[in-house]
């Protein structure tokens, strides 16, 4: 899968050269170093390519997070995403996406998620954009050998998304996903909520402060259902 992510980003970068006005790409670096009663080291990095157009938009990105606590590894997470939006600036906008996530600490080797749906824009102007979306999700999880859970799951995804530009330098973004299973609507569901505050440092850089709450009602034995993640990332755009 790592080769897939590399090829994905290389292809998008080549396309950037031939369409400079529509394409952009970014790199992100962040982390945390703490010493005292508890010694922790957290490192995160990301890379992405975007194409913004009134007819077709495209987003490809990959991220990696690694963490140590008192010398023991507690985080080793690799994620890749692909997304296509058609007529993204219209009231109604269909989209498809694919993501792959590797996280042994959550009890699985790889989780593959394919999604197809439609977005409805509630309100927008140059300073803000609010939307709702609904989609069908097919999820396949390659659990570690010691766990016996359903590998294939069909889900409904309901998403609320907002972007609000506070001023020329600061913007606020929020996204919440609710993803119940069609097999067990009340017993197997997930909730992911991310809020980001982005401060523009220069024409090519910004500092992003992110808060994420991630909950899954059905997880392997010994794995916590909820994760709370805070991070600071320096982003460089080209």
């Amino acid at each position: 899968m790592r080769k897939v992510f590399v090829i994905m980003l290389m292809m998008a970068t080549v396309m950037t050269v031939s369409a400079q006005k529509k394409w952009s790409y970014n790199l992100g670096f962040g982390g945390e170093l703490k010493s005292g009663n508890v010694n922790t080291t957290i490192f995160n990095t990301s890379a992405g390519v975007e194409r913004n157009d009134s007819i077709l938009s495209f987003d490809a990105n990959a991220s990696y997070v690694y963490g140590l606590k008192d010398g023991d590894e507690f985080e080793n997470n690799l994620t890749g995403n692909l997304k296509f939006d058609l007529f993204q600036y219209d009231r109604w906008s269909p989209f498809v996406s694919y993501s792959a996530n590797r996280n042994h600490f959550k009890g699985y080797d790889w989780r593959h998620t394919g999604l197809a749906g439609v977005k409805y824009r509630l309100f927008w102007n140059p300073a803000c954009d609010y939307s709702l979306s609904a989609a069908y999700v097919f999820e396949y999880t390659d659990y570690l050998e010691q766990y016996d859970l359903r590998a294939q799951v069909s889900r409904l995804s309901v998403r609320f998304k907002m972007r609000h530009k506070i001023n020329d330098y600061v913007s606020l973004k929020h996204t919440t996903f609710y993803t119940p299973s069609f097999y067990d609507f009340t017993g197997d569901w997930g909730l992911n909520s991310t809020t980001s505050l982005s401060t523009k440092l220069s024409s090519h850089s910004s500092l992003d402060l992110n808060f994420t709450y991630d909950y899954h009602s059905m997880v392997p034995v010994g794995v916590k259902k909820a994760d709370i993640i805070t991070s600071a990332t320096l982003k460089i755009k080209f």
Side-chain angles (χ1 to χ4, degrees), residues 6-237:
V6 173
I7 294 173
M8 174 183 72
L9 292 175
M10 288 178 63
M11 290 176 61
T13 303
V14 170
M15 296 176 71
T16 303
V17 176
S18 61
Q20 292 287 341
K21 294 183 179 180
K22 293 183 179 180
W23 292 82
S24 64
Y25 49 98
N26 64 79
L27 297 173
F29 305 94
E32 176 185 287
L33 180 63
K34 183 186 296 183
S35 62
N37 294 316
V38 177
N39 300 313
T40 59
T41 301
I42 302 173
F43 170 74
N44 65 76
T45 183
S46 62
V49 178
E50 296 182 14
R51 179 188 190 274
N52 284 305
D53 186 84
S54 60
I55 299 177
L56 177 68
S57 66
F58 168 81
D59 182 12
N61 62 77
S63 63
Y64 178 69
V65 180
Y66 181 78
L68 294 173
K69 182 177 181 180
D70 288 334
D72 295 326
E73 186 179 81
F74 73 94
E75 184 73 79
N76 193 342
N77 182 14
L78 178 65
T79 303
N81 298 282
L82 279 171
K83 185 181 179 184
F84 293 87
D85 278 275
L86 189 63
F87 309 120
Q88 65 168 330
Y89 299 121
D90 289 357
R91 173 73 72 175
W92 295 93
S93 173
F95 61 89
V96 294
S97 71
Y98 165 79
S99 66
N101 177 262
R102 181 178 186 178
N103 193 331
H104 288 176
F105 293 93
K106 296 294 288 184
Y108 55 83
D109 189 18
W110 284 100
R111 172 169 289 165
H112 305 273
T113 305
L115 186 150
V118 62
K119 178 185 71 177
Y120 177 75
R121 298 179 81 189
L122 299 169
F123 176 78
W124 70 95
N125 61 37
C128 62
D129 194 346
Y130 294 78
S131 65
L132 284 174
S133 70
Y136 168 78
V137 181
F138 178 78
E139 180 182 279
Y140 179 82
T141 305
D142 185 14
Y143 287 103
L144 301 180
E145 292 183 359
Q146 63 266 39
Y147 301 121
D148 183 21
L149 292 174
R150 184 192 299 271
Q152 298 182 17
V153 180
S154 293
R155 297 186 181 276
L156 168 68
S157 173
V158 179
R159 183 198 70 181
F160 170 75
K161 185 176 182 179
M162 63 84 71
R163 174 192 59 82
H164 195 97
K165 186 177 180 181
I166 299 174
N167 54 44
D168 291 339
Y169 298 96
V170 180
S171 60
L172 180 68
K173 296 179 182 179
H174 176 82
T175 305
T176 293
F177 286 91
Y178 171 60
T179 54
S181 167
F182 285 116
Y183 298 105
D184 187 359
F185 208 83
T186 59
D188 182 5
W189 57 276
L191 181 70
N192 181 282
S193 180
T194 299
T195 301
S196 301
L197 186 68
S198 180
T199 302
K200 184 178 179 181
L201 303 178
S202 70
S203 58
H204 295 288
S205 64
S206 63
L207 178 63
D208 291 0
L209 303 177
N210 309 294
F211 176 83
T212 297
Y213 177 79
D214 188 39
Y215 179 89
H216 295 274
S217 64
M218 187 172 291
V219 297
V221 175
V223 175
K224 293 181 178 180
K225 294 183 177 182
D227 285 311
I228 297 176
I229 305 164
T230 57
S231 65
T233 303
L234 176 64
K235 282 194 173 181
I236 303 173
K237 295 183 179 181

